Amino acid sequence: MAKIVNSWNDFDPLKHIIVGVADHSVIPDEEPATSEKVPVDSEMRGMWGPRPLETVEKANAQLNYLAKVLEDRGVKVDRPTPLQWNQPVITPDFRTQSMMTCMPPRDILLTIGNEIMASANSFRCRYFEYLAFWPLMKKYFDEDPEFKWTQAPRPRLTDKSYKHNYYDEKISLEERLVRTANKDFVTTEHEPMWDAADIMRVGKDLFIQHGLTTNRTAMEWFKRYYPNLTVHAVNFPGDPYPIHIDATFVPLRPGLIINNPTRRLPQEQRAIFEKNGWEIVDAAMPAHKEPPPLCYSSVWLSMNCLVLDHKTVICEASEVNQMEQMDKLGMNVIPVPFRDAYPFGGALHCATADVYREGGCEDYFPNRNFNDATLV
């Protein structure tokens, strides 16, 4: 029996990964957590229902090509088993019209060492999304005696978990940014809620974004669950819709991070990086002015790349500015077209989840003799 699951960061040599699938994807109807994700002026407002088949086929073609590129480089690729997402979610506490997709496994699965944990999402439509990955988890469990298969405490997602007047006010972008800076989000602290894509794994340290999908209670839960790791809370005041850290703050290798220049890490939270010799570089500007049609995400998916090792990165093929910057930063760039997949849940990092990377649990921040403003 072999060791199948091992990953402590996003940059050590990648050997095994899950790539998502777009089959049967649905645009979910509005619910407390999803409404805030959609900008007021977005064409996505009021849109819901099964995604057009033509767009599903285009997305799957690009997902399949990503899988082939990875396999050609010797990376083992697994794929989830899609559900019929156009079914309601019914629990004792709520009902939604549909589920969503299994295109972005990064939102659902968190790999820390030999453990893969399913998340505690705040979107009601994502309540059963983990089931698409359960056949793979069972396979790893059967084949790897060290694999820990875990489910975080399932949030009930009652009305107590959301601020229900949060959307009723007609607030400007400036007011929205003030709310972000004040850490005032639609989710309450009633129960732990988190998306796996809000967590940046760097060996013995977890950097968790506080935003619309992950709350402080979740950070406290992580602190207790992983007593041997250090949990840091980070936030990015320049982001009016703070969801997921991986289009904002992206490590490329030990000592180097690219940061969204419109959502810079606050100065007081930079100390742990600066005191340990890490360089934080403004990411290149996106090549596109608008996201593709029927896409929730911002143009900053340009920096949502997939690092294969300390010298190699996969970037979206049309993001010429980002690829040029990666080259200047000493990375070998593999271009992969992916914009047709964006609307289903994000870019290259979003659409994947680590199973195995070489390397162990390193301490990348040995100097801790200062006031760390990020500590939970």
Side-chain angles (χ1 to χ4, degrees), residues 73-134:
R73 296 189 67 88
V75 178
K76 179 175 172 55
V77 176
D78 288 332
R79 313 298 294 272
T81 304
L83 280 67
Q84 288 291 342
W85 302 112
N86 194 24
Q87 298 182 70
V89 176
I90 304 169
T91 79
D93 297 302
F94 67 84
R95 177 188 177 109
T96 67
Q97 293 297 317
S98 75
M99 295 180 278
M100 198 164 89
T101 184
C102 62
M103 179 275 193
R106 190 74 60 172
D107 297 0
I108 305 297
L109 302 177
L110 178 66
T111 309
I112 296 182
N114 63 340
E115 178 176 20
I116 299 180
M117 181 188 299
S119 52
N121 306 84
S122 59
F123 286 17
R124 289 170 170 172
C125 60
R126 308 192 79 169
Y127 200 76
F128 292 120
E129 198 166 319
Y130 72 93
L131 293 173
F133 305 100
W134 252 218

Side-chain angles (χ1 to χ4, degrees), residues 1 21 40 47 83 106 111 123 153 176 213 217 224 227 246 281 289 292 296 303 317 323 353 359:
M1 299 178 82
V21 173
V40 175
M47 294 280 292
L83 280 67
R106 190 74 60 172
T111 309
F123 286 17
R176 192 177 295 278
T213 46
T217 307
R224 298 183 196 184
D246 56 356
V281 179
K289 300 295 186 189
Y296 288 111
M303 58 184 292
M323 289 192 289

Side-chain angles (χ1 to χ4, degrees), residues 208-260:
I208 305 180
Q209 177 179 233
H210 183 203
L212 295 172
T213 46
T214 297
N215 61 10
R216 296 282 303 197
T217 307
M219 298 179 196
E220 177 61 28
W221 182 85
F222 272 98
K223 184 179 176 182
R224 298 183 196 184
Y225 188 81
Y226 291 113
N228 296 325
L229 304 181
T230 304
V231 177
H232 307 263
V234 292
N235 70 296
F236 302 91
D239 187 358
Y241 306 97
I243 291 178
H244 302 164
I245 198 170
D246 56 356
T248 300
F249 205 61
V250 177
L252 299 181
R253 58 177 177 260
L256 179 62
I257 287 177
I258 55 172
N259 189 181
N260 189 317

Side-chain angles (χ1 to χ4, degrees), residues 28 62 71 87 115 120-121 135 176 183 207 260 287 291 295 297 307 317 339 347 362:
Q62 294 193 337
E71 288 171 341
Q87 298 182 70
E115 178 176 20
N121 306 84
R176 192 177 295 278
K183 306 183 180 85
F207 295 87
N260 189 317
C295 181
S297 304
V307 178
R339 275 179 66 82
E362 303 292 334

Side-chain angles (χ1 to χ4, degrees), residues 202 205 207 232 257 272-273 276 278 363-368:
V202 193
D205 293 80
F207 295 87
H232 307 263
I257 287 177
I272 184 171
F273 299 98
N276 286 279
W278 283 63
D363 185 357
Y364 295 98
F365 304 96
N367 179 14
R368 299 176 189 265

Side-chain angles (χ1 to χ4, degrees), residues 118-297:
S119 52
N121 306 84
S122 59
F123 286 17
R124 289 170 170 172
C125 60
R126 308 192 79 169
Y127 200 76
F128 292 120
E129 198 166 319
Y130 72 93
L131 293 173
F133 305 100
W134 252 218
L136 291 176
M137 298 303 107
K138 178 59 164 62
K139 182 174 184 292
Y140 305 158
F141 186 78
D142 289 343
E143 296 177 3
D144 181 351
E146 297 181 11
F147 169 50
K148 293 165 67 176
W149 176 10
T150 316
Q151 168 68 62
R154 306 298 305 281
R156 291 185 65 170
L157 306 181
T158 67
D159 289 351
K160 293 179 181 178
S161 291
Y162 313 99
K163 298 173 186 172
H164 278 266
N165 294 324
Y166 196 86
Y167 315 108
D168 295 346
E169 307 163 41
K170 300 290 185 182
I171 63 172
S172 66
L173 180 62
E174 290 73 22
E175 291 171 309
R176 192 177 295 278
L177 288 169
V178 169
R179 283 188 172 185
T180 300
N182 292 335
K183 306 183 180 85
D184 175 13
F185 303 115
V186 65
T187 44
T188 68
E189 300 298 335
H190 180 66
E191 58 188 345
M193 294 183 288
W194 56 275
D195 281 11
D198 272 324
I199 298 155
M200 187 176 91
R201 307 163 302 129
V202 193
K204 292 185 176 181
D205 293 80
L206 301 177
F207 295 87
I208 305 180
Q209 177 179 233
H210 183 203
L212 295 172
T213 46
T214 297
N215 61 10
R216 296 282 303 197
T217 307
M219 298 179 196
E220 177 61 28
W221 182 85
F222 272 98
K223 184 179 176 182
R224 298 183 196 184
Y225 188 81
Y226 291 113
N228 296 325
L229 304 181
T230 304
V231 177
H232 307 263
V234 292
N235 70 296
F236 302 91
D239 187 358
Y241 306 97
I243 291 178
H244 302 164
I245 198 170
D246 56 356
T248 300
F249 205 61
V250 177
L252 299 181
R253 58 177 177 260
L256 179 62
I257 287 177
I258 55 172
N259 189 181
N260 189 317
T262 69
R263 315 170 188 169
R264 290 193 178 100
L265 186 69
Q267 187 58 44
E268 67 274 12
Q269 296 178 27
R270 298 169 72 96
I272 184 171
F273 299 98
E274 293 171 348
K275 299 286 186 182
N276 286 279
W278 283 63
E279 185 180 8
I280 300 176
V281 179
D282 279 354
M285 294 300 292
H288 300 272
K289 300 295 186 189
E290 300 288 340
L294 299 180
C295 181
Y296 288 111
S297 304

